[in-house]
Amino acid sequence: MSELCPATAAELAQALADAASRNQKIRLGGNFSKPGTTAGDVSISTRALNRVLTFEPKDLTISVEAGLPYAELTQLLNRHQMMIPLDPPWSAQATIGGVVAANHSGPRRRLYGSARDLVIGMTFATLDGQVIQSGGMVVKNVAGLDMAKLMIGSYGTLAAMATINFKLIPKPAGSRTFCLTAPTLEAAMQKRDEILRGVLQPVALDLLNPEAAELVGLPAQWSLLLQAAGNAALLDRYSRELSAGQMIGEEVWPRVQEFTPMFLAAHPQGRVARFSTTLTDVSEPYRVWRGPMIARAATGVLYGYSERPLSLPAGLKMVIEYGEALMPWAQTGSDYSAMKRVKQMLDPKGLLNPGRLYARL
Amino acid sequence: MGVVGPNGFLDQPHDLTLYEYDGGVDKHKPDIVVFPRSTEEVAAIVKIANQHNLPFVGRGAGTGLSGGVIPRAGGVMISFAKMNRILEIDLMNERCVVQPGVVNLDVTLAVQGEKYFYAPDPSSQRACTIGGNVAENAGGPHTLAYGVTTNHVMALELVLPDGSIIETGGKEPDLPGYDLVGLFTGSEGTMALVTKITLRLMRAPEMVKTLLAIYDSTEDCGATVAEITARAITPVAVEMLDGPMLRMVEEATHAGYPMDAAAVLLIELEGLKEAVEEQVEQIREVCQSCRAREFRVAKSAEERDLLWKGRKNAFGAVGRMSPFYYVQDGVVPRTQIAGTLKKIGEVADKYGLSISNIFHAGDGNMHPIILFNARIPGQLEAAQHAGEDILEHCISVGGSITGEHGVGMEKMELMSKQFPPETLDMIAKFKNLFDPQCRLNPGKLLPTGRGCMEIRQRPLTEKTAV
């Protein structure tokens, strides 16, 4: 398979249009760091679209090309005490475009949100060779349709992102991490409820079952990991109010963030399932899952890890994120036909990343 | 109208006159206003409108400021006034399910006893509805920290222009598939009618501090905003009022604003005590370094409420002074606020109009209020031209023509200055995808000639335009 690496948005649009005119299936990506990318007749990578276009520290905004490595972007922002706290897996290899296309997020989304909250503008190239703009470089903007929302999490099945604009979050003065352990799932959920109903505003609140806790280097117990951020007086307050927990090192977070790549490296045939639940139902996937499981316990997204194919629970909203899709996106709702119409409009021949997006659209 | 019964519609000219306008300056009467009570009734009305080839438009409280709800082609207006129930409050899951006619403030009032709140807080929040907020992707002062409507909508039930009903999103985050909630939110009622909304609620902060910084120069005031952003201090709201605005507000509300200042900043900080107390001192330091004449911290909830009442009733205060006014909604990068204020002053001089400013300075969302007298021939047009000049300036410094009010029919023509033709065509394609007959809220959002089926609409006449 030949690989094209266009270096401008216009070249990207041209590459897409050329492939479409030849009815070629397109494998579209950045660094192709995530497993599950599909085969195609032609491969188009955004890795040469790797520039920072505008960085306005005083406006707390940045515009970057989609192929910019996430790690490079993070380092640049770090130097200015700023951040785009998406905390995605494969953070050392991924491009920012890949992170947004997969709608990857991490532990700190409780406070800072996910890509849909941090992206303020975007350009994307379509199969008919056009470059389309959504939003802009200001933090508040309702002119035109918010088409960027469609691109976030679309796994490159609609169009190819060329540039992405973000609002930036100032880095807090400091942070502290606490681990609260519990003998049972119910006891852990009760501790979580107490935190959610209190006035503390944790940056992150993850629940790990004993299997997952062990794999990130903690004792094999039900573990609530809480990150607090802010000034010293604020962190001291967290220490006082969470005295039942134990203060642990910040180095636990990269292990949580990179759990999926770590697991798949150890178990190439493994499966990663992603569940969406309400806050009260965060406990439900745990009841049916055998294997490590990590929950964004204050958000309602859970990741379950299995070493081998398994029969999947009915009645829960879930998809197979990585590994062979045994049950591709089982439940589709009344909006499925509308999604298909969107796909049909932008990619009528089904050329873009066929089989991605949980092998449905 | 068998669907809604004899008390479910209005079709007499004197009644329809009440539905010909919103908070903007454009007008056009619908041919009938209907008041459905359920999603099924909405769908039935849409199907009937389709059978008779009539355009239709949804309407909340009519507080919009861009003409988004004006039935410029006549036809059926679907008012959500009777679909005004809060269907479910689910505090354990930080969610609330409402019908589109629920008033914005009523959501917070329903949950604040349990120390929760709904974050987007447009100035019209005592009247505007959640359905309208979703259509326009409404903002408000506190969106600086918490995000606009789209960041707080989890799920939508929609009636599509063909009369079909779909639900998208859910109480759960990250459901698989395309983010249609994000696409439809802010589509200005041109692609679907919203009949049910699932909102995200937030936990009320432990401490709130409201500050007032008073200036003898608007430049210093603007510089303070840039400096707060540059020093990465994160207030939840930073509102700016200039001198003329202050005086109008103070005469109407007696909120304690100084009558002789050139400008003030109204700043709010929220969060845990330890964080808020530190930020008060940081902001005091910034204000002093930017030559604020005075720095006050509201001492009580009453004092704080009064300051906000003055801010949120500002348009009412303007109405006392000038029977006609025209509000703009441009956005600029925060480093460009001071220059934009200067430009607005020049535009006022050019057209001989008085323009005062009250706006969400923290996110660069300017609201110049252009005062005019529609009874003087040419003044409405002058006000509109002044507005366009200001918005073109916003575009030229990297900003946007609208931060929260929407494009509507007011700023359609300016869309081609902000976006390239390919983008406008793509927006038209989306509209056409869901509304191929162009019956839902026609003639909005896109420049004339770029929207669908323009030719089928009755043109605005001089009589209907003003």
Side-chain angles (χ1 to χ4, degrees):
Chain A
M1 190 171 26
S2 62
E3 179 161 291
L4 301 172
C5 296
T8 65
E11 283 178 30
L12 176 64
Q14 191 58 49
L16 290 174
D18 289 347
S21 70
R22 292 193 284 264
N23 278 334
Q24 291 177 313
K25 290 205 187 318
I26 302 161
R27 171 183 182 256
L28 174 66
N31 218 4
F32 300 103
S33 51
K34 294 175 260 297
T37 49
T38 53
D41 303 316
V42 58
S43 180
I44 299 178
S45 162
T46 58
R47 66 168 63 96
L49 281 157
N50 58 0
R51 293 171 298 168
V52 174
L53 298 179
T54 324
F55 177 32
E56 300 287 357
K58 287 190 165 183
D59 279 325
L60 294 176
T61 56
I62 194 167
S63 176
V64 299
E65 289 183 323
L68 181 71
Y70 177 83
E72 233 175 84
L73 176 58
T74 304
Q75 282 159 17
L76 167 69
L77 297 176
N78 244 328
R79 290 199 291 275
H80 291 85
Q81 298 302 308
M82 289 172 196
M83 56 186 190
I84 299 172
L86 288 174
D87 307 336
W90 289 281
S91 59
Q93 301 86 25
T95 61
I96 186 64
V99 171
V100 172
N103 193 19
H104 274 156
S105 60
R108 291 185 290 172
R109 66 177 288 175
R110 167 65 183 181
L111 195 66
Y112 301 118
S114 59
R116 80 192 298 286
D117 304 300
L118 298 169
V119 170
I120 57 173
M122 188 183 281
T123 62
F124 54 89
T126 60
L127 283 175
D128 52 9
Q130 309 282 6
V131 178
I132 308 296
Q133 181 191 343
S134 173
M137 273 300 273
V138 283
V139 294
K140 199 170 170 192
N141 189 356
V142 298
L145 274 186
D146 196 350
M147 295 176 278
K149 292 279 193 296
L150 279 181
M151 299 301 142
I152 297 168
S154 67
Y155 284 88
T157 60
L158 295 176
M161 285 179 267
T163 61
I164 311 174
N165 308 341
F166 291 91
K167 66 173 174 184
L168 302 173
I169 311 276
K171 280 193 98 161
S175 61
R176 240 172 243 183
T177 294
F178 302 88
C179 180
L180 295 89
T181 56
T184 61
L185 170 61
E186 288 68 30
M189 287 293 286
Q190 200 177 336
K191 284 193 175 166
R192 183 212 61 166
D193 288 347
E194 284 165 19
I195 293 165
L196 284 184
R197 275 179 235 136
V199 293
L200 297 182
Q201 297 172 316
V203 173
L205 187 58
D206 276 14
L207 176 61
L208 282 64
N209 66 1
E211 295 91 323
E214 201 169 13
L215 285 172
V216 299
L218 297 170
Q221 300 180 66
W222 288 96
S223 305
L224 267 176
L225 291 181
L226 181 149
Q227 190 183 48
N231 62 36
L234 188 70
L235 296 178
D236 287 344
R237 165 131 180 233
Y238 276 90
S239 291
R240 286 195 304 278
E241 298 208 6
L242 297 171
S243 57
Q246 190 194 352
M247 206 169 101
I248 62 170
E250 296 288 294
E251 66 276 5
V252 72
W253 291 111
R255 291 185 219 137
V256 171
Q257 179 180 342
E258 297 292 346
F259 199 96
T260 296
M262 181 200 76
F263 184 84
L264 290 176
H267 307 283
Q269 298 304 311
R271 307 281 187 268
V272 181
R274 195 188 76 217
F275 296 82
S276 294
T277 72
T278 59
L279 293 179
T280 45
D281 283 348
V282 162
S283 52
E284 295 308 310
Y286 282 108
R287 296 185 204 285
V288 297
W289 193 259
R290 275 185 223 100
M293 184 172 256
I294 296 179
R296 304 276 107 83
T299 305
V301 178
L302 297 93
Y303 301 88
Y305 300 87
S306 174
E307 293 176 21
R308 57 187 71 86
L310 34 75
S311 60
L312 293 165
L316 293 171
K317 294 185 179 177
M318 56 89 63
V319 291
I320 300 286
E321 226 184 16
Y322 296 103
E324 183 196 352
L326 290 181
M327 196 174 64
W329 182 5
Q331 310 88 347
T332 58
S334 56
D335 55 349
Y336 186 61
S337 64
M339 290 181 193
K340 275 178 89 164
R341 280 156 80 179
V342 170
K343 169 72 174 171
Q344 186 74 23
M345 182 180 98
L346 287 162
D347 181 14
K349 296 179 207 155
L351 301 177
L352 274 170
N353 274 351
R356 290 294 269 166
L357 199 70
Y358 331 118
R360 261 285 187 182
L361 279 160
Chain B
M1 292 302 270
V3 174
V4 289
N7 297 320
F9 66 92
L10 297 170
D11 64 352
Q12 296 302 304
H14 60 274
D15 290 325
L16 296 177
T17 301
L18 299 173
Y19 290 87
E20 70 175 4
Y21 58 88
D22 64 359
V25 294
D26 298 299
K27 288 182 188 179
H28 198 285
K29 277 193 193 60
D31 293 311
I32 185 169
V33 185
V34 289
F35 300 88
R37 284 153 301 193
S38 68
T39 303
E40 290 67 32
E41 287 186 5
V42 174
I45 290 162
V46 166
K47 284 179 180 157
I48 292 168
N50 275 318
Q51 282 159 19
H52 293 84
N53 197 19
L54 288 169
F56 48 95
V57 56
R59 185 184 197 268
T63 54
L65 291 162
S66 60
V69 79
I70 308 295
R72 60 183 312 182
V76 183
M77 175 173 275
I78 300 170
S79 164
F80 289 102
K82 289 188 178 176
M83 289 176 69
N84 61 351
R85 283 181 303 137
I86 295 178
L87 300 173
E88 187 191 354
I89 293 172
D90 184 357
L91 295 180
M92 300 288 281
N93 287 316
E94 302 175 352
R95 303 287 182 263
C96 179
V97 184
V98 302
Q99 288 187 312
V102 167
V103 169
N104 173 294
L105 186 61
D106 286 346
V107 178
T108 289
L109 292 178
V111 299
Q112 69 180 9
E114 304 286 333
K115 296 200 161 61
Y116 286 84
F117 71 109
Y118 173 63
D121 61 337
S123 294
S124 55
Q125 71 181 138
R126 286 170 192 282
C128 67
T129 63
I130 298 294
N133 292 173
V134 171
E136 300 298 329
N137 192 11
H142 289 77
T143 58
L144 172 61
Y146 301 123
V148 292
T149 301
T150 192
N151 306 108
H152 299 270
V153 175
M154 299 299 298
L156 294 173
E157 179 189 73
L158 303 160
V159 173
L160 297 181
D162 64 2
S164 61
I165 301 168
I166 68 167
E167 287 189 69
T168 189
K171 279 185 179 175
E172 309 88 348
D174 291 10
L175 291 169
Y178 301 132
D179 185 359
L180 297 181
V181 172
L183 179 70
F184 281 102
T185 301
S187 61
E188 303 200 16
T190 65
M191 300 201 316
L193 294 162
V194 178
T195 49
K196 190 166 78 180
I197 306 109
T198 302
L199 301 171
R200 183 164 76 106
L201 299 173
M202 298 186 74
R203 199 83 177 102
E206 177 183 53
M207 180 180 266
V208 181
K209 286 275 183 200
T210 306
L211 321 173
L212 190 68
I214 301 167
Y215 295 83
D216 288 326
S217 119
T218 49
E219 282 74 24
D220 289 341
C221 190
T224 305
V225 179
E227 192 58 24
I228 289 172
T229 312
R231 291 199 196 181
I233 308 167
T234 51
V236 293
V238 180
E239 301 286 303
M240 181 170 166
L241 291 75
D242 72 4
M245 196 66 232
L246 276 175
R247 289 181 270 286
M248 286 190 274
V249 164
E250 188 55 23
E251 277 169 23
T253 316
H254 306 294
Y257 287 108
M259 295 289 276
D260 61 336
V264 300
L265 285 180
L266 178 63
I267 301 170
E268 193 145 273
L269 300 162
E270 288 184 0
L272 290 169
K273 181 172 166 286
E274 289 81 358
V276 171
E277 284 174 346
E278 183 189 42
Q279 290 196 328
V280 169
E281 291 318 306
Q282 288 172 331
I283 288 183
R284 186 197 302 273
E285 200 184 300
V286 173
C287 291
Q288 279 161 359
S289 75
C290 292
R291 292 179 292 277
R293 169 178 105 189
E294 199 185 330
F295 181 84
R296 292 185 204 160
V297 182
K299 288 176 195 68
S300 63
E302 291 71 36
E303 206 177 318
R304 169 177 180 264
D305 289 346
L306 206 53
L307 287 171
W308 276 110
K309 193 177 160 201
R311 164 62 186 95
K312 293 207 172 178
N313 290 345
F315 292 172
V318 175
R320 281 165 44 105
M321 305 300 291
S322 173
F324 301 94
Y325 62 89
Y326 184 44
V327 187
Q328 277 303 346
D329 182 38
V331 193
V332 297
R334 289 164 281 200
T335 45
Q336 303 287 337
I337 288 173
T340 303
L341 285 171
K342 193 162 166 271
K343 173 72 186 178
I344 291 170
E346 289 164 17
V347 170
D349 291 343
K350 176 179 164 187
Y351 291 97
L353 293 167
S354 173
I355 305 180
S356 44
N357 290 285
I358 180 161
F359 58 97
H360 312 307
D363 37 31
N365 188 188
M366 321 285 291
H367 289 324
I369 300 181
I370 306 165
L371 308 182
F372 67 99
N373 188 343
R375 295 188 189 96
I376 300 173
Q379 278 224 333
L380 170 64
E381 290 73 17
Q384 286 173 321
H385 286 138
E388 284 179 20
D389 283 8
I390 293 168
L391 294 183
E392 284 181 29
H393 170 81
C394 293
I395 297 170
S396 74
V397 297
S400 170
I401 56 176
T402 175
E404 55 185 10
H405 296 173
V407 174
M409 61 188 283
E410 176 204 22
K411 294 181 280 285
M412 284 164 46
E413 306 303 333
L414 285 164
M415 282 289 280
S416 56
K417 300 221 160 105
Q418 184 167 343
F419 291 105
E422 298 80 17
T423 296
L424 301 177
D425 288 345
M426 183 58 78
I427 295 171
K429 274 193 198 173
F430 274 103
K431 162 78 172 162
N432 189 49
L433 183 66
F434 291 101
D435 185 20
Q437 306 298 323
C438 204
R439 292 202 182 104
L440 176 56
N441 205 4
K444 303 288 171 71
L445 221 150
L446 290 167
T448 311
R450 287 208 171 269
C452 55
M453 313 290 255
E454 305 281 352
I455 205 125
R456 292 169 61 165
Q457 292 160 29
R458 293 196 297 239
L460 280 181
T461 62
E462 274 182 35
K463 192 174 138 224
T464 55
V466 179

